[in-house]
Structure formats: structure tokens, C-alpha cells
Amino acid sequence: MKKNILLLLMSLLFLMATAVYAEECCEEDTSWNEDSCCIDETNFYVKILGGANFLQTTSTGGIRATYQPGYIVAGSLGYCWHYGLCVEAEYAYRRNALKELHFSGRDFSMHHGNFQVSSYMANLLWNFPLSSWGGAFWNIQPFIGAGIGYDFQQMHSSNSSYVFTEKWNHFSWQAMAGLAFPIFCNAEITLEYKFHQGGCHFYNHSLGVGLVYKFCFFR
């Protein structure tokens, strides 16, 4: 899993470097304008996202667990059509440390324990066409979306008395909303909220910042 996170971080650095290079090209050639930095822009894009993840208290099999705030790291590949509709494939990794377990009528504080999820999702998003409605504000682009997929979940905890490990695999779904703002010729920064449900008992609330790179060909 650490390799997956490292790969996502390396991809983020690559996208940032590419976007900065494109912006420098635009500034050096004054004959270019914002719309001509890419001579052949495609509808494909990639996105890297990182942020905080909050996992609600869960209760399953007579065991109730509470969690500390954790994190989310995600990457996606997408394609946009007309009217602001986009479809994307997303991989997300969430991890939250365990705070407390309750079972057999007792509460156990966790010194070592975590709940982690790998999610494979197919998402559909809609970017509100504010510019065509005459309501653009600072080039901010709001969007909403929903997705379905599959989760691979694992809980591990231990203290001086016992060790507990459990795994679950579940169908999952999510809803999301956010704001996108262009920062370079073909790149955007996003602020996103995701509500993700994996199985019947696991509810995640994620707030993150993303970087979107739109593929195109330069002069």
C-alpha cells in the first residue's frame, strides 16, 4: 500500500512540473493567449487528491468502534463530454487510527490499531456551466457527482490483552461535490467533499484538495 501512495505522490509532482512548464511557455511567447497554450486539447484528464478523512462510529457483529481523524489519497483518470458531463475511474485509499473498541460490555482504548480501505470506483460528474449561464465568478467551476464501486476493508487492533484483525469486501457508493479553479493553461486545483459508504456500517466523510491535469499537445 505504501507503494501505491508513493506512486500517487510521484504522479502529483509530475503533473505540477508539467503544468508549471506549460505556464512558462505561455508567458515566454506573448503571441499565445490562455486558449492557445494547448494547440490540440483532448477530453482526457488525470486527477490526484489528498486530504482528511473522518470515519463515523461503526457497530457490527456486536463490536462498536470509534476512530480518530485520518487521511485519504486518491487518483483518477477521466473523460469529459459536452454539457460538462465527465466519467472517471478512481482509486482511493483511506486510513483512520482506531480510538476505542467496545465489546463484551467493556470499552478498550487502542494503543495500536487502524481501519484502512482501498476503493475502486466508477464516477459520473457534472460541471455546472456557469459561464454559459452568465454567472461565472472568478472562473470558479462548481461540480457534483456520484459513483459506485467495490471496497476492500481491513481493521487491525491490539493492546496488552488481545489482538483483533478482520477483513470485509463490500459494494460501495459515494456522492461528491466541489469547486474547481484554473491555475495554469491546462491545470486546475479543486476543493472536494466526498461521502463514501462501504458496506452497511462504514461511512466516510472526506475533505480534500486535488490537482487536475488536462491532456493536450503543445506547440
Side-chain angles (χ1 to χ4, degrees):
M1 191 56 59
K2 292 181 178 179
K3 292 182 179 180
N4 292 336
I5 296 176
L6 180 61
L7 179 61
L8 289 173
L9 293 176
M10 291 178 64
S11 300
L12 174 61
L13 293 175
F14 171 77
L15 294 178
M16 292 179 66
T18 305
V20 170
Y21 172 76
E23 181 71 7
E24 290 176 350
C25 290
C26 295
E27 293 176 352
E28 291 175 1
D29 189 344
T30 57
S31 64
W32 287 19
N33 56 45
E34 185 175 349
D35 296 327
S36 63
C37 293
C38 302
I39 61 173
D40 187 13
E41 183 173 335
T42 71
N43 293 328
F44 288 97
Y45 67 90
V46 292
K47 177 167 62 177
I48 303 294
L49 179 138
N53 185 69
F54 303 92
L55 182 59
Q56 291 184 203
T57 298
T58 59
S59 180
T60 179
I63 300 174
R64 188 179 73 248
T66 58
Y67 307 90
Q68 298 179 8
Y71 65 87
I72 177 176
V73 180
S76 56
L77 173 65
Y79 181 87
C80 286
W81 293 295
H82 296 294
Y83 311 111
L85 289 175
C86 300
V87 62
E88 65 179 29
E90 176 192 67
Y91 168 77
Y93 176 74
R94 296 173 172 86
R95 183 184 176 97
N96 290 79
L98 277 167
K99 183 178 182 181
E100 189 176 73
L101 280 180
H102 175 88
F103 62 94
S104 301
R106 298 176 58 189
D107 291 325
F108 297 87
S109 297
M110 295 295 100
H111 301 293
H112 304 283
N114 62 77
F115 182 84
Q116 57 189 19
V117 183
S118 291
S119 302
Y120 299 85
M121 309 295 295
N123 301 323
L124 180 66
L125 296 91
W126 183 48
N127 299 299
F128 293 108
L130 294 184
S131 58
S132 62
W133 296 347
F137 182 69
W138 289 352
N139 292 322
I140 294 177
Q141 180 77 62
F143 62 89
I144 57 175
I148 58 174
Y150 204 75
D151 278 8
F152 297 88
Q153 305 160 338
Q154 179 177 326
M155 179 188 291
H156 174 80
S157 60
S158 64
N159 61 15
S160 59
S161 303
Y162 72 95
V163 175
F164 174 82
T165 300
E166 188 64 71
K167 294 182 179 181
W168 301 270
N169 298 330
H170 288 291
F171 167 84
S172 59
W173 66 273
Q174 65 182 5
M176 64 202 79
L179 300 171
F181 183 79
I183 53 175
F184 300 118
C185 299
N186 59 320
E188 297 176 341
I189 191 170
T190 65
L191 177 64
E192 304 185 30
Y193 165 77
K194 295 177 182 285
F195 172 79
H196 182 94
Q197 180 180 358
C200 301
H201 308 284
F202 301 102
Y203 304 93
N204 294 272
H205 303 270
S206 304
L207 184 64
V209 176
L211 179 65
V212 180
Y213 176 80
K214 299 178 180 178
F215 290 107
C216 61
F217 300 100
F218 301 100
R219 290 185 180 181

